[in-house]
Amino acid sequence: MNDMLGSLWRRRGRLNRMDGFQKLLTLLLIVLGAFMLLPIVYIFNHAFKPYHELFVYPPTFLVREPSLQNVNELLAVTSRSTVPMIRYLFNSVFVSGLAVVLVTGVSALCAYPLSKHRFPGAGIVFAAILLTLMFAPEVVQIPRYLVVSELGIMNTYFAHLLPLMAMPIGVFLLKQFMDQVPDSLLEAARIDGASEFFVFWRIAVPVCMPAVATVAILAFQNAWGNVETSALFMLDDEMKSFSFFLSTLTNNLANNVAMQGAAAVAALIMFVPNLIVFVILQGKVIATMAHSGIK
């Protein structure tokens, strides 16, 4: 209790030391932050609205009579599925978790030599990686399908993971971050007898943890919401993802009244894991954006 009172007193002291402009700026940031929270508040409220509130005019932002009716409707729909919902959920959790590790690792292993090893053609390779950012996802669907088919990994977890492992934006972020790691720091470790993998794993990666966390968030969001691999590469329903399963329940509902409540709960279920991962790693993301060099 004393520690809490002391913390509040110190914050009050810092607030009193602010000039008028700083107080105004703080107030504007608070208002902006509250405004940016509105979509999150809405999606939580929308999932628990009964049907007479979902279609009321004018629409309401906050739920007036919270109900679990939509949750029960979604459970009723999923209970009629030939494959248990828990199977789809397991597939998504397993693939998303493994994708975070593999995508982050591959991006770091690609960014490190591009940043710290001046081999011939490094600039061309990096330019080619950046060029892939211009491609629309539809452009690479046929080549991806041919690669997965020729490798003989259709209807396996490898088919879920392989198309996700190449993430050019991850390589770009890590490469730009590793450029700021002093070469003298790495050379000192090599002079002390450290192997190249030790230099990469114990020096370069820890220094770049803010960028690693950012890439991990992007990799999780990409894998958790991915429906392409399930639609193209999975033949059995048991191998498809939770996002694909929910998308089949909510397709073609734009002009329908039925199952709108289930669709609202499905949207919330897909959103919550992304929110949790971001909240856990948001401090590292802020450090990535604010990083201005290693002192």
Side-chain angles (χ1 to χ4, degrees):
M1 186 64 180
N2 292 334
D3 293 340
M4 183 180 299
L5 292 176
S7 177
L8 292 175
W9 184 261
R10 287 191 296 271
R11 291 181 182 178
R12 181 182 177 184
R14 286 196 296 267
L15 183 61
N16 291 334
R17 289 194 297 269
M18 290 182 180
D19 57 27
F21 176 76
Q22 289 176 324
K23 291 180 180 179
L24 178 60
L25 183 61
T26 301
L27 179 61
L28 290 176
L29 290 175
I30 292 174
V31 172
L32 180 61
F35 179 77
M36 296 178 68
L37 285 175
L38 291 180
I40 300 177
V41 175
Y42 176 79
I43 195 172
F44 274 93
N45 279 268
H46 193 66
F48 296 101
K49 288 180 180 178
Y51 265 82
H52 66 273
E53 290 190 37
L54 284 173
F55 298 97
V56 68
Y57 185 84
T60 59
F61 187 81
L62 298 177
V63 59
R64 297 173 182 174
E65 301 175 10
S67 172
L68 295 177
Q69 173 187 352
N70 299 335
V71 179
N72 295 331
E73 181 181 3
L74 180 62
L75 292 176
V77 173
T78 55
S79 65
R80 296 194 293 267
S81 174
T82 56
V83 178
M85 185 176 66
I86 192 68
R87 173 66 184 187
Y88 296 110
L89 188 60
F90 169 79
N91 291 340
S92 285
V93 171
F94 178 75
V95 170
S96 299
L98 203 55
V100 169
V101 176
L102 292 177
V103 170
T104 306
V106 169
S107 298
L109 287 170
C110 182
Y112 178 70
L114 288 174
S115 175
K116 297 304 177 184
H117 291 269
R118 307 293 187 261
F119 59 90
I124 298 176
V125 172
F126 186 59
I129 292 174
L130 294 182
L131 185 63
T132 60
L133 293 173
M134 302 174 58
F135 295 157
E138 293 77 13
V139 175
V140 296
Q141 281 185 352
I142 294 177
R144 280 180 177 176
Y145 181 85
L146 294 176
V147 169
V148 172
S149 178
E150 290 298 324
L151 288 176
I153 58 175
M154 296 283 286
N155 208 39
T156 66
Y157 287 116
F158 293 108
H160 274 298
L161 293 167
L162 185 63
L164 303 176
M165 288 175 61
M167 193 169 75
I169 188 62
V171 177
F172 173 75
L173 287 175
L174 285 166
K175 195 265 182 186
Q176 297 303 105
F177 211 95
M178 286 184 180
D179 284 345
Q180 300 179 69
V181 178
D183 293 337
S184 58
L185 181 64
L186 306 183
E187 288 297 331
R190 295 188 183 102
I191 292 173
D192 288 340
S195 64
E196 196 62 35
F197 181 78
F198 183 92
V199 172
F200 163 75
W201 183 248
R202 299 301 297 271
I203 300 178
V205 171
V207 170
C208 299
M209 280 307 296
V212 171
T214 304
V215 174
I217 292 175
L218 296 176
F220 179 83
Q221 291 177 343
N222 188 32
W224 178 255
N226 182 273
V227 298
E228 176 187 322
T229 55
S230 295
L232 298 179
F233 310 136
M234 300 300 127
L235 306 178
D236 300 331
D237 288 341
E238 292 85 355
M239 294 300 299
K240 294 182 178 180
S241 65
F242 187 63
S243 58
F244 178 84
F245 173 63
L246 292 182
S247 69
T248 60
L249 298 179
T250 57
N251 279 343
N252 304 319
L253 292 181
N255 299 315
N256 295 338
V257 175
M259 292 182 61
Q260 286 294 337
V265 176
L268 177 63
I269 293 174
M270 292 303 301
F271 171 73
V272 167
N274 288 319
L275 178 63
I276 293 174
V277 171
F278 180 80
V279 168
I280 293 174
L281 299 177
Q282 58 87 23
K284 295 295 185 181
V285 175
I286 295 174
T288 302
M289 303 307 175
H291 188 79
S292 59
I294 298 175
K295 304 297 187 292

Short mmCIF file of all heavy atoms in Angstrom, two decimals, residues 269-292:
data_model
loop_
_atom_site.label_atom_id
_atom_site.label_comp_id
_atom_site.label_asym_id
_atom_site.label_seq_id
_atom_site.Cartn_x
_atom_site.Cartn_y
_atom_site.Cartn_z
N ILE A 269 -12.95 -14.47 -31.52
CA ILE A 269 -12.02 -15.57 -31.26
C ILE A 269 -10.75 -15.42 -32.10
O ILE A 269 -9.63 -15.67 -31.62
CB ILE A 269 -12.70 -16.92 -31.54
CG1 ILE A 269 -13.82 -17.17 -30.52
CG2 ILE A 269 -11.69 -18.07 -31.48
CD1 ILE A 269 -14.63 -18.42 -30.81
N MET A 270 -10.89 -14.99 -33.34
CA MET A 270 -9.73 -14.81 -34.19
C MET A 270 -8.90 -13.60 -33.77
O MET A 270 -7.69 -13.55 -33.99
CB MET A 270 -10.16 -14.64 -35.65
CG MET A 270 -10.74 -15.90 -36.27
SD MET A 270 -9.61 -17.31 -36.21
CE MET A 270 -8.22 -16.67 -37.13
N PHE A 271 -9.55 -12.63 -33.14
CA PHE A 271 -8.85 -11.40 -32.76
C PHE A 271 -8.09 -11.53 -31.45
O PHE A 271 -6.98 -10.99 -31.31
CB PHE A 271 -9.86 -10.26 -32.66
CG PHE A 271 -9.30 -9.00 -32.06
CD1 PHE A 271 -8.43 -8.19 -32.78
CD2 PHE A 271 -9.62 -8.63 -30.76
CE1 PHE A 271 -7.90 -7.04 -32.23
CE2 PHE A 271 -9.09 -7.48 -30.20
CZ PHE A 271 -8.23 -6.68 -30.94
N VAL A 272 -8.64 -12.24 -30.48
CA VAL A 272 -8.07 -12.27 -29.13
C VAL A 272 -6.63 -12.79 -29.11
O VAL A 272 -5.77 -12.18 -28.45
CB VAL A 272 -8.98 -13.09 -28.18
CG1 VAL A 272 -8.26 -13.40 -26.88
CG2 VAL A 272 -10.26 -12.30 -27.89
N PRO A 273 -6.28 -13.91 -29.76
CA PRO A 273 -4.87 -14.35 -29.73
C PRO A 273 -3.90 -13.30 -30.27
O PRO A 273 -2.80 -13.13 -29.72
CB PRO A 273 -4.88 -15.62 -30.59
CG PRO A 273 -6.27 -16.12 -30.52
CD PRO A 273 -7.12 -14.90 -30.47
N ASN A 274 -4.28 -12.60 -31.33
CA ASN A 274 -3.41 -11.54 -31.85
C ASN A 274 -3.22 -10.44 -30.82
O ASN A 274 -2.12 -9.90 -30.67
CB ASN A 274 -4.03 -10.95 -33.12
CG ASN A 274 -3.95 -11.89 -34.30
OD1 ASN A 274 -2.93 -12.55 -34.51
ND2 ASN A 274 -5.01 -11.97 -35.08
N LEU A 275 -4.29 -10.10 -30.11
CA LEU A 275 -4.20 -9.07 -29.08
C LEU A 275 -3.28 -9.51 -27.95
O LEU A 275 -2.46 -8.72 -27.46
CB LEU A 275 -5.60 -8.75 -28.55
CG LEU A 275 -5.67 -7.71 -27.42
CD1 LEU A 275 -5.17 -6.35 -27.89
CD2 LEU A 275 -7.10 -7.61 -26.88
N ILE A 276 -3.41 -10.75 -27.52
CA ILE A 276 -2.60 -11.26 -26.41
C ILE A 276 -1.11 -11.24 -26.78
O ILE A 276 -0.27 -10.80 -26.00
CB ILE A 276 -3.05 -12.68 -26.02
CG1 ILE A 276 -4.46 -12.65 -25.42
CG2 ILE A 276 -2.07 -13.31 -25.03
CD1 ILE A 276 -5.04 -14.01 -25.14
N VAL A 277 -0.79 -11.74 -27.98
CA VAL A 277 0.61 -11.77 -28.41
C VAL A 277 1.17 -10.36 -28.51
O VAL A 277 2.30 -10.09 -28.10
CB VAL A 277 0.73 -12.51 -29.76
CG1 VAL A 277 2.13 -12.37 -30.33
CG2 VAL A 277 0.38 -13.98 -29.59
N PHE A 278 0.37 -9.44 -29.04
CA PHE A 278 0.86 -8.07 -29.17
C PHE A 278 1.07 -7.42 -27.81
O PHE A 278 2.07 -6.72 -27.60
CB PHE A 278 -0.13 -7.24 -29.99
CG PHE A 278 0.30 -5.81 -30.16
CD1 PHE A 278 1.25 -5.48 -31.11
CD2 PHE A 278 -0.22 -4.81 -29.37
CE1 PHE A 278 1.66 -4.16 -31.27
CE2 PHE A 278 0.19 -3.49 -29.51
CZ PHE A 278 1.13 -3.17 -30.47
N VAL A 279 0.14 -7.64 -26.87
CA VAL A 279 0.28 -7.04 -25.54
C VAL A 279 1.54 -7.57 -24.85
O VAL A 279 2.27 -6.81 -24.19
CB VAL A 279 -0.97 -7.32 -24.69
CG1 VAL A 279 -0.73 -6.97 -23.23
CG2 VAL A 279 -2.15 -6.52 -25.22
N ILE A 280 1.83 -8.86 -25.02
CA ILE A 280 3.01 -9.45 -24.39
C ILE A 280 4.30 -8.86 -24.95
O ILE A 280 5.26 -8.59 -24.21
CB ILE A 280 3.00 -10.98 -24.56
CG1 ILE A 280 1.83 -11.59 -23.76
CG2 ILE A 280 4.31 -11.59 -24.09
CD1 ILE A 280 1.65 -13.07 -23.99
N LEU A 281 4.32 -8.63 -26.27
CA LEU A 281 5.55 -8.20 -26.92
C LEU A 281 5.56 -6.74 -27.32
O LEU A 281 6.50 -6.28 -27.99
CB LEU A 281 5.79 -9.06 -28.18
CG LEU A 281 5.95 -10.57 -27.95
CD1 LEU A 281 6.10 -11.28 -29.28
CD2 LEU A 281 7.15 -10.86 -27.06
N GLN A 282 4.53 -5.96 -26.92
CA GLN A 282 4.43 -4.58 -27.39
C GLN A 282 5.59 -3.71 -26.93
O GLN A 282 5.97 -2.77 -27.63
CB GLN A 282 3.08 -3.97 -26.97
CG GLN A 282 2.82 -3.97 -25.48
CD GLN A 282 3.37 -2.76 -24.77
OE1 GLN A 282 3.58 -1.73 -25.39
NE2 GLN A 282 3.62 -2.87 -23.49
N GLY A 283 6.14 -3.99 -25.75
CA GLY A 283 7.28 -3.21 -25.29
C GLY A 283 8.46 -3.31 -26.24
O GLY A 283 9.15 -2.32 -26.53
N LYS A 284 8.70 -4.51 -26.77
CA LYS A 284 9.79 -4.70 -27.72
C LYS A 284 9.49 -4.01 -29.05
O LYS A 284 10.40 -3.50 -29.71
CB LYS A 284 10.01 -6.20 -27.96
CG LYS A 284 10.49 -6.96 -26.74
CD LYS A 284 11.87 -6.52 -26.30
CE LYS A 284 12.41 -7.37 -25.17
NZ LYS A 284 13.75 -6.94 -24.72
N VAL A 285 8.22 -3.99 -29.44
CA VAL A 285 7.86 -3.32 -30.69
C VAL A 285 8.13 -1.83 -30.59
O VAL A 285 8.67 -1.21 -31.51
CB VAL A 285 6.38 -3.57 -31.02
CG1 VAL A 285 5.96 -2.78 -32.26
CG2 VAL A 285 6.12 -5.05 -31.23
N ILE A 286 7.77 -1.23 -29.47
CA ILE A 286 8.03 0.20 -29.26
C ILE A 286 9.53 0.47 -29.30
O ILE A 286 9.99 1.46 -29.87
CB ILE A 286 7.42 0.67 -27.93
CG1 ILE A 286 5.88 0.56 -28.01
CG2 ILE A 286 7.85 2.09 -27.60
CD1 ILE A 286 5.19 0.86 -26.70
N ALA A 287 10.31 -0.43 -28.71
CA ALA A 287 11.76 -0.26 -28.74
C ALA A 287 12.30 -0.33 -30.16
O ALA A 287 13.25 0.38 -30.52
CB ALA A 287 12.42 -1.32 -27.86
N THR A 288 11.69 -1.17 -31.00
CA THR A 288 12.12 -1.25 -32.39
C THR A 288 11.88 0.06 -33.12
O THR A 288 12.73 0.57 -33.86
CB THR A 288 11.34 -2.37 -33.11
OG1 THR A 288 11.56 -3.59 -32.42
CG2 THR A 288 11.81 -2.51 -34.54
N MET A 289 10.70 0.66 -32.89
CA MET A 289 10.36 1.90 -33.59
C MET A 289 11.21 3.07 -33.07
O MET A 289 11.54 3.98 -33.82
CB MET A 289 8.86 2.22 -33.39
CG MET A 289 7.96 1.11 -33.86
SD MET A 289 8.29 0.62 -35.56
CE MET A 289 7.18 -0.78 -35.74
N ALA A 290 11.55 3.04 -31.78
CA ALA A 290 12.26 4.16 -31.18
C ALA A 290 13.78 4.01 -31.24
O ALA A 290 14.51 4.92 -30.90
CB ALA A 290 11.83 4.33 -29.73
N HIS A 291 14.25 2.82 -31.67
CA HIS A 291 15.69 2.55 -31.64
C HIS A 291 16.42 3.48 -32.60
O HIS A 291 16.07 3.60 -33.76
CB HIS A 291 15.94 1.10 -32.05
CG HIS A 291 17.36 0.68 -31.85
ND1 HIS A 291 17.87 0.34 -30.64
CD2 HIS A 291 18.36 0.55 -32.73
CE1 HIS A 291 19.14 0.01 -30.77
NE2 HIS A 291 19.46 0.13 -32.02
N SER A 292 17.42 4.12 -32.12
CA SER A 292 18.17 5.07 -32.96
C SER A 292 19.65 4.76 -33.02
O SER A 292 20.43 5.57 -33.46
CB SER A 292 17.98 6.49 -32.40
OG SER A 292 18.44 6.57 -31.06
#
